[in-house]
Amino acid sequence: MGSVANNESFSIELQQLDAANDTARNQRTQWLLTSPNPPSLCHELINTIKKTALPHGKTTKQSRNGAFFSFFKGLFPILSWGRNYKGTKFKHDIMAGLTLASLCIPQSIGYANLAKLDPQYGLYTSVVPPLIYAVMGSSREIAIGPVAVVSLLLSAMVPKIVDPAVDHIAYRNLVFTATFFTGAFQAAFGLFRLGFLVDFLSHAAIVGFMGGAAIVIGLQQLKGLFGINHFTTKTDVVSVLEAVFKSLHNEPWFPLNFVLGCSFLIFILITRFIGKRNKKMFWLPAIAPLISVVLSTLIVYLTKADQHGVKIVKHFKGGLNPSSLHQLQFNNPHVGELAKIGLICAIVALTEAIAVGRSFASIKGYHLDGNKEMVAMGCMNLVGSVTSCYTATGSFSRTAVNFSAGCETVVSNIVMAITVLISLELLTKLLYYTPLAILASIIISALPGLIDISEACHIWKVDKTDFIICIAAFFGVLFGSVEIGLLIAVGISFGKIILGTIRPSVQLQGRLPGTDTFCDITQFPVATETPGILVIRVNNASLCFANANFIRGRILSTVTNGSEEHTKEKIRVLVLDMSNVMSVDTSGIVALEELHRELVSQGIQLAIANPRWKVINKLKAAKFLDKLGKGWIFLTVGDAVDACLNTKMSDLSTINC
């Protein structure tokens, strides 16, 4: 008798426990069903504008002045760190700035030559943009000025509109106009928080693009290295090599150019090797290009090598940056093409600058705001376009030198700009005899840093699809053009995203032993399925017109295969885990309704677990929950499975849905 009483007492306790669990589960479901409506699209847009204009949300009269000052501190970071700037920091910054200038002067002249501009425009670009960035930028280490890749972009695209050999002044004006558009796009990206556009160039695409661009830039320097007069305007490998061979066979060339250029190229590379082996000698590779320019200029001047075929710079206008406002060509019939060039340069320049800035910011342990950087870059290029500068951005090689030289703040950029300005005023006449072969060797010496073979190998090991993007960008630039390389890389990247969106996977889930965690049974073979219940997770953030029918078909296929392969019992309940689905549109809801009808026709009940905020709101608005039955919506997969186990499986098919 005692054992019977104990069994009855135990049964009563189990019933009470089940009732308590059911009550708790129903309460959690009610939390889900009664959650407030998410903010509307209009409300989200208004909030985004408020956050952009008033990041601290201060609107009271007492705080308006503070908010105004806070806004200007955000726009001009120098107002924040300038108050605490000390003489000890200036000592480090002035040394870094002078070291930076010694590298910047010869590189800027070389990059201007690469952009098919007169040498002074490279130096102009190393004066105004660094000063503007010093006031508005937030990176402490980045070095601003002309870079090889952007110079190549301009020299590859602008000559399709005007040939610089035919009308050099018109070409220069179009470059200034393209720079204006570059600055406008960059500033707009930052103001409207469109930084995600820069991410369209994936890491793999950048590695491939930079590698291809480095080889193209190197081949372009064969003109200066061999002293060739007539050269192709195309940038692909085949055209460049063909132009070189034709020039060497059909035109007289002077070996002194090659000997002079290669000699100093070897000297620069040796100093770089010494600098890498001995960190205390970091200054040696930094000043090696300047030493090369000085020595080669003296050699040419003293030996009169220019009379024996050595090509020299000759025309070199000095002085302050002249205004170029009146030279901007907004009425040009090709203004649309210039805007396109500006957009491409804006994205490439921002990608390089933000990558460089964040790399060194992480080393120093501070955060770099991408949107603020875009505004700073945009403003400096806008101002630069009206002060005879072409597109400037952050240079990795010069930033590395700046960092190694011990810079503390962007004051090093100010020191560099002032040094370059003094050089423009006093030293330009001395550079008349600078050989073009030396400028070519300086550019070539900077190219190995753009080719990252180890990173390409790493991409191959990690992700084969990314490696295809990398190789496509590399060969697109190498055998096509800069635009083709970028277009291929972005196109394949978009294709990868679209393919993942329109053909997402669905996973069969099982419970890990001893837990309430459900996971992919393929990844975790120890996970076990519950007899009569099939749990499927949709692995996509959106259930929309592009993938709704595909997902419905995959789920039905999994139900059919699951009933044959994974369970001995007939499937009575399908639990659809929607924890990954962040949004759903009307096509997705129609697909769910069709799925529900097809499952009911097979005697299977549909249950939905963990629908997200926007998803549950749209399901309620579409009356789908009324069709499904609010008793079949659950907060977690565990709740859904436990509820199904507590329900008599034989009665599931008779429930009014």
Side-chain angles (χ1 to χ4, degrees), residues 513-545:
T515 70
D516 286 331
T517 302
F518 286 79
C519 55
D520 183 11
I521 61 174
T522 305
Q523 183 181 0
F524 299 93
V526 296
T528 57
E529 295 181 73
T530 305
I533 303 173
L534 205 62
V535 182
I536 295 178
R537 176 184 294 166
V538 179
N539 286 327
N540 200 63
S542 177
L543 182 60
C544 61
F545 67 94

Side-chain angles (χ1 to χ4, degrees), residues 207-208 210-216 446-456 474:
V207 172
M210 289 295 187
I215 295 177
V216 168
L447 298 181
L450 298 177
I451 304 174
D452 198 341
I453 298 175
S454 61
E455 186 60 26
F474 177 78

Side-chain angles (χ1 to χ4, degrees), residues 215-346:
I215 295 177
V216 168
I217 292 168
L219 292 174
Q220 291 282 325
Q221 300 316 301
L222 293 178
K223 177 184 178 183
L225 208 58
F226 286 109
I228 297 173
N229 291 319
H230 303 290
F231 205 67
T232 180
T233 57
K234 297 180 180 179
T235 59
D236 63 283
V237 173
V238 177
S239 298
V240 171
L241 291 179
E242 184 181 1
V244 171
F245 288 128
K246 283 184 178 179
S247 298
L248 294 180
H249 282 85
N250 301 330
E251 297 179 13
W253 69 286
F254 303 93
L256 284 178
N257 290 284
F258 184 76
V259 172
L260 199 61
C262 286
S263 300
F264 282 97
L265 175 60
I266 294 170
F267 166 70
I268 294 171
L269 293 177
I270 290 174
T271 59
R272 184 168 298 171
F273 176 77
I274 295 172
K276 286 184 178 180
R277 294 292 297 270
N278 188 351
K279 298 299 182 183
K280 293 182 179 179
M281 300 286 288
F282 69 88
W283 52 270
L284 184 59
I287 66 170
L290 185 61
I291 293 174
S292 300
V293 169
V294 173
L295 290 179
S296 63
T297 303
L298 284 174
I299 290 172
V300 172
Y301 175 73
L302 295 175
T303 62
K304 301 188 185 304
D306 58 309
Q307 299 177 8
H308 297 84
V310 174
K311 305 293 182 182
I312 59 175
V313 171
K314 292 185 180 179
H315 304 292
F316 203 130
K317 184 180 178 182
L320 298 175
N321 292 41
S323 172
S324 56
L325 179 61
H326 61 286
Q327 297 171 7
L328 299 181
Q329 303 292 305
F330 296 121
N331 295 324
N332 192 285
H334 301 286
V335 68
E337 286 291 315
L338 293 173
K340 185 192 77 171
I341 295 170
L343 177 60
I344 294 173
C345 289

